[in-house]
Amino acid sequence: SSSVFAVFAVAAAVLTVSFVRCELMLNEVPFIFSHDAATGYLKDNIINRWAKTQSTTLSGQLDCGSRGFDLRPKVLDDGSVVMHHGDVIVHELVRDAMVEVLNWTSHNPDELVIVYVTDCEGDGCEGLVRDIFTNLTLPYIDDCSVLSNFSYSHARAMAAKSRQGLPLALFGCVDEQYDPSIECYLTSSTLDGFDLKGDEGITMEEVYVCYEPKTRLVPLNKFWEYLIESTSAPLHVNDGLLWMAQAHWQYSTESVSLGLLHDSSILDDESKSRTNAMLVGNITSHAFHFVNIVELDNVCDG
């Protein structure tokens, strides 16, 4: 929606104000990324509720303020290249999804959009994806050493070679800073000694849920501590790799089971815990000192 885009645009403007002062490396520039972006094509059912991290397609996510995706291709037995989230197959061709992105960048020619290829599954997967990008004139980097001393202006110049706006793909080259303990549903076994910070009225036998008033501060404290720690210092200054703060909940088999018991979903967990809305407030108040990629679930919920 336009209101969500406006909120994230304000947040991005706060983060990018230093553009006017100096030339920045690509990994010093802030981007909002959609986590498992292709799941926006999944239909809503009981299985997909715990795979679907986005509410709309790639172009819809771009309209909401996302400027990058983690693209997870998968080669099917018939040789077609679709996408996936873990074991869940997204039956949308990579080529069709990229045509959709290129149509958006053509109509928004000043916006640099990054396609981060990761978790490529199946025989010859990366080669097939490279062929798709080449046929679509979508510039890509598959040698991460190129990113050393690779500036934001260099990225824009390379992306402009597409003559379809500013799309740029990366094969890997991102430090994800993955922390599996950042879960919406926590128990005493998953807390692993985490300081409850004096929360009263909570017993260690309870489930700590990120949106329930009595217990929400326990998972939310872990969530924000992770984000503050992961943005406390600039990373990959020498090698130029991009780096990420994952501003979304992680899911183990146990937490999915607990989510089912609460009749929730990944999208519902984000909206009920209000992590995206709180994130915007933290960005505009300069709570994060160094930011490159901030990755979100449910990017259209601000």
Side-chain angles (χ1 to χ4, degrees):
S1 70
S2 59
S3 62
V4 173
F5 175 77
V7 169
F8 281 125
V10 168
V14 171
L15 289 171
T16 57
V17 67
S18 57
F19 282 0
V20 300
R21 295 199 302 269
C22 63
E23 173 70 289
L24 297 178
M25 296 297 103
L26 183 61
N27 73 352
E28 295 176 316
V29 176
F31 292 89
I32 293 170
F33 266 43
S34 303
H35 172 230
D36 268 305
T39 62
Y41 296 97
L42 291 173
K43 294 181 178 179
D44 190 13
N45 58 46
I46 190 63
I47 300 299
N48 290 345
R49 293 185 83 186
W50 296 100
K52 188 176 175 70
T53 64
Q54 304 298 334
S55 62
T56 187
T57 64
L58 298 189
S59 60
Q61 293 166 45
L62 288 167
D63 284 339
C64 289
S66 179
R67 290 299 177 265
F69 315 103
D70 59 346
L71 185 75
R72 302 169 189 263
K74 182 179 180 67
V75 182
L76 300 182
D77 291 340
D78 64 2
S80 58
V81 186
V82 294
M83 295 169 286
H84 73 102
H85 178 185
D87 294 332
V88 176
I89 298 175
V90 180
H91 289 281
E92 177 79 10
L93 293 173
V94 167
R95 188 185 189 283
D96 291 348
M98 292 302 98
V99 168
E100 181 183 338
V101 170
L102 292 172
N103 181 62
W104 191 93
T105 56
S106 295
H107 288 87
N108 298 270
D110 291 329
E111 300 290 339
L112 178 62
V113 173
I114 296 178
V115 179
Y116 161 44
V117 180
T118 183
D119 201 11
C120 207
E121 289 191 354
D123 291 342
C125 182
E126 288 197 1
L128 291 170
V129 175
R130 287 189 190 92
D131 290 344
I132 292 169
F133 290 171
T134 299
N135 290 336
L136 293 175
T137 321
L138 198 170
Y140 64 82
I141 293 172
D142 59 0
D143 177 1
C144 300
S145 66
V146 170
L147 294 175
S148 179
N149 296 316
F150 193 72
S151 70
Y152 177 69
S153 62
H154 287 145
R156 291 177 66 91
M158 184 174 185
K161 294 178 181 178
S162 71
R163 300 186 182 278
Q164 301 167 92
L166 298 174
L168 179 64
L170 300 175
F171 285 82
C173 306
V174 176
D175 178 356
E176 296 186 351
Q177 295 203 91
Y178 170 60
D179 184 343
S181 73
I182 310 302
E183 297 184 279
C184 177
Y185 304 91
L186 295 172
T187 63
S188 56
S189 61
T190 54
L191 280 168
D192 191 27
F194 180 73
D195 182 6
L196 296 182
K197 299 191 179 303
D199 291 312
E200 297 180 357
I202 299 175
T203 66
M204 288 305 292
E205 290 74 32
E206 287 191 70
V207 176
Y208 307 86
V209 181
C210 66
Y211 50 80
E212 290 190 345
K214 184 179 178 181
T215 63
R216 65 193 300 267
L217 286 181
V218 175
L220 283 172
N221 282 340
K222 282 181 65 70
F223 183 93
W224 294 116
E225 286 189 12
Y226 157 78
L227 284 178
I228 290 170
E229 175 63 25
S230 62
T231 57
S232 62
L235 298 180
H236 297 285
V237 175
N238 294 322
D239 62 23
L241 295 183
L242 277 65
W243 54 279
M244 179 184 294
Q246 298 194 20
H248 55 80
W249 300 112
Q250 309 291 349
Y251 290 91
S252 62
T253 301
E254 181 180 16
S255 60
V256 169
S257 298
L258 291 168
L260 285 167
L261 290 174
H262 285 77
D263 192 28
S264 193
S265 69
I266 292 176
L267 295 178
D268 288 341
D269 286 353
E270 185 287 314
S271 61
K272 289 186 291 187
S273 64
R274 300 187 68 250
T275 49
N276 286 359
M278 288 188 286
L279 181 73
V280 171
N282 277 275
I283 289 173
T284 54
S285 65
H286 303 281
F288 308 125
H289 297 295
F290 300 92
V291 175
N292 185 203
I293 296 169
V294 178
E295 187 179 63
L296 305 178
D297 283 344
N298 206 9
V299 73
C300 287
D301 178 51

